[in-house]
mmCIF file of all heavy atoms in Angstrom:
data_model
loop_
_atom_site.group_PDB
_atom_site.id
_atom_site.type_symbol
_atom_site.label_atom_id
_atom_site.label_comp_id
_atom_site.label_asym_id
_atom_site.label_seq_id
_atom_site.Cartn_x
_atom_site.Cartn_y
_atom_site.Cartn_z
ATOM 1 N N PHE A 90 93.991 128.092 108.930
ATOM 2 C CA PHE A 90 94.742 128.695 110.035
ATOM 3 C C PHE A 90 94.451 130.192 110.169
ATOM 4 O O PHE A 90 94.240 130.694 111.273
ATOM 5 C CB PHE A 90 96.241 128.417 109.903
ATOM 6 C CG PHE A 90 96.591 126.998 110.234
ATOM 7 C CD1 PHE A 90 96.838 126.067 109.235
ATOM 8 C CD2 PHE A 90 96.619 126.572 111.548
ATOM 9 C CE1 PHE A 90 97.128 124.744 109.541
ATOM 10 C CE2 PHE A 90 96.916 125.252 111.872
ATOM 11 C CZ PHE A 90 97.172 124.333 110.871
ATOM 12 N N GLY A 91 94.396 130.875 109.045
ATOM 13 C CA GLY A 91 94.076 132.302 109.077
ATOM 14 C C GLY A 91 92.691 132.534 109.664
ATOM 15 O O GLY A 91 92.476 133.466 110.443
ATOM 16 N N GLU A 92 91.771 131.646 109.321
ATOM 17 C CA GLU A 92 90.402 131.779 109.813
ATOM 18 C C GLU A 92 90.328 131.509 111.319
ATOM 19 O O GLU A 92 89.641 132.213 112.060
ATOM 20 C CB GLU A 92 89.484 130.812 109.047
ATOM 21 C CG GLU A 92 88.029 131.017 109.376
ATOM 22 C CD GLU A 92 87.094 130.195 108.489
ATOM 23 O OE1 GLU A 92 87.587 129.292 107.775
ATOM 24 O OE2 GLU A 92 85.886 130.463 108.528
ATOM 25 N N LYS A 93 91.080 130.493 111.762
ATOM 26 C CA LYS A 93 91.112 130.187 113.197
ATOM 27 C C LYS A 93 91.673 131.346 114.006
ATOM 28 O O LYS A 93 91.239 131.610 115.129
ATOM 29 C CB LYS A 93 92.031 128.981 113.442
ATOM 30 C CG LYS A 93 91.333 127.653 113.469
ATOM 31 C CD LYS A 93 92.292 126.619 114.053
ATOM 32 C CE LYS A 93 91.808 125.226 113.775
ATOM 33 N NZ LYS A 93 92.774 124.202 114.177
ATOM 34 N N TRP A 94 92.661 131.998 113.441
ATOM 35 C CA TRP A 94 93.262 133.158 114.114
ATOM 36 C C TRP A 94 92.178 134.216 114.353
ATOM 37 O O TRP A 94 92.014 134.725 115.461
ATOM 38 C CB TRP A 94 94.414 133.708 113.267
ATOM 39 C CG TRP A 94 95.179 134.846 113.866
ATOM 40 C CD1 TRP A 94 95.013 135.398 115.113
ATOM 41 C CD2 TRP A 94 96.235 135.580 113.239
ATOM 42 N NE1 TRP A 94 95.911 136.416 115.293
ATOM 43 C CE2 TRP A 94 96.663 136.553 114.175
ATOM 44 C CE3 TRP A 94 96.856 135.506 111.994
ATOM 45 C CZ2 TRP A 94 97.699 137.448 113.885
ATOM 46 C CZ3 TRP A 94 97.887 136.393 111.706
ATOM 47 C CH2 TRP A 94 98.305 137.353 112.640
ATOM 48 N N LEU A 95 91.388 134.501 113.296
ATOM 49 C CA LEU A 95 90.300 135.476 113.441
ATOM 50 C C LEU A 95 89.277 134.997 114.482
ATOM 51 O O LEU A 95 88.874 135.762 115.355
ATOM 52 C CB LEU A 95 89.620 135.720 112.088
ATOM 53 C CG LEU A 95 88.326 136.547 112.132
ATOM 54 C CD1 LEU A 95 88.571 137.945 112.689
ATOM 55 C CD2 LEU A 95 87.703 136.659 110.741
ATOM 56 N N GLU A 96 88.874 133.725 114.383
ATOM 57 C CA GLU A 96 87.865 133.204 115.310
ATOM 58 C C GLU A 96 88.339 133.299 116.756
ATOM 59 O O GLU A 96 87.595 133.681 117.654
ATOM 60 C CB GLU A 96 87.500 131.747 114.963
ATOM 61 C CG GLU A 96 86.753 131.586 113.634
ATOM 62 C CD GLU A 96 85.594 132.563 113.479
ATOM 63 O OE1 GLU A 96 84.835 132.742 114.452
ATOM 64 O OE2 GLU A 96 85.457 133.168 112.384
ATOM 65 N N ASN A 97 89.611 132.955 116.989
ATOM 66 C CA ASN A 97 90.179 133.035 118.336
ATOM 67 C C ASN A 97 90.215 134.469 118.840
ATOM 68 O O ASN A 97 89.940 134.733 120.007
ATOM 69 C CB ASN A 97 91.609 132.461 118.350
ATOM 70 C CG ASN A 97 91.604 130.982 118.652
ATOM 71 O OD1 ASN A 97 91.797 130.573 119.786
ATOM 72 N ND2 ASN A 97 91.345 130.175 117.643
ATOM 73 N N THR A 98 90.570 135.379 117.949
ATOM 74 C CA THR A 98 90.687 136.792 118.319
ATOM 75 C C THR A 98 89.328 137.370 118.712
ATOM 76 O O THR A 98 89.208 138.111 119.681
ATOM 77 C CB THR A 98 91.301 137.598 117.146
ATOM 78 O OG1 THR A 98 92.552 137.000 116.817
ATOM 79 C CG2 THR A 98 91.517 139.055 117.518
ATOM 80 N N LYS A 99 88.297 136.968 117.951
ATOM 81 C CA LYS A 99 86.946 137.475 118.208
ATOM 82 C C LYS A 99 86.421 137.109 119.600
ATOM 83 O O LYS A 99 85.586 137.812 120.157
ATOM 84 C CB LYS A 99 85.979 136.908 117.172
ATOM 85 C CG LYS A 99 85.908 137.699 115.876
ATOM 86 C CD LYS A 99 85.032 136.897 114.959
ATOM 87 C CE LYS A 99 84.311 137.617 113.911
ATOM 88 N NZ LYS A 99 83.656 136.634 113.011
ATOM 89 N N LYS A 100 86.914 135.997 120.146
ATOM 90 C CA LYS A 100 86.459 135.593 121.479
ATOM 91 C C LYS A 100 86.860 136.637 122.521
ATOM 92 O O LYS A 100 86.155 136.856 123.505
ATOM 93 C CB LYS A 100 87.053 134.232 121.860
ATOM 94 C CG LYS A 100 86.467 133.093 121.066
ATOM 95 C CD LYS A 100 87.094 131.786 121.504
ATOM 96 C CE LYS A 100 86.763 130.691 120.506
ATOM 97 N NZ LYS A 100 87.574 129.494 120.735
ATOM 98 N N LEU A 101 88.010 137.267 122.317
ATOM 99 C CA LEU A 101 88.454 138.293 123.267
ATOM 100 C C LEU A 101 88.075 139.694 122.810
ATOM 101 O O LEU A 101 87.792 140.564 123.624
ATOM 102 C CB LEU A 101 89.977 138.220 123.455
ATOM 103 C CG LEU A 101 90.513 137.007 124.223
ATOM 104 C CD1 LEU A 101 92.029 137.042 124.269
ATOM 105 C CD2 LEU A 101 89.949 136.958 125.627
ATOM 106 N N LYS A 102 88.105 139.907 121.495
ATOM 107 C CA LYS A 102 87.788 141.234 120.949
ATOM 108 C C LYS A 102 86.725 141.054 119.865
ATOM 109 O O LYS A 102 87.040 140.896 118.681
ATOM 110 C CB LYS A 102 89.057 141.903 120.380
ATOM 111 C CG LYS A 102 90.170 142.137 121.411
ATOM 112 C CD LYS A 102 89.870 143.311 122.341
ATOM 113 C CE LYS A 102 90.522 143.170 123.703
ATOM 114 N NZ LYS A 102 91.927 143.578 123.765
#
Side-chain angles (χ1 to χ4, degrees):
F90 286 102
E92 187 172 12
K93 267 194 195 173
W94 184 4
L95 171 61
E96 292 312 316
N97 270 263
T98 304
K99 274 174 154 172
K100 289 180 193 168
L101 289 177
K102 299 285 152 82

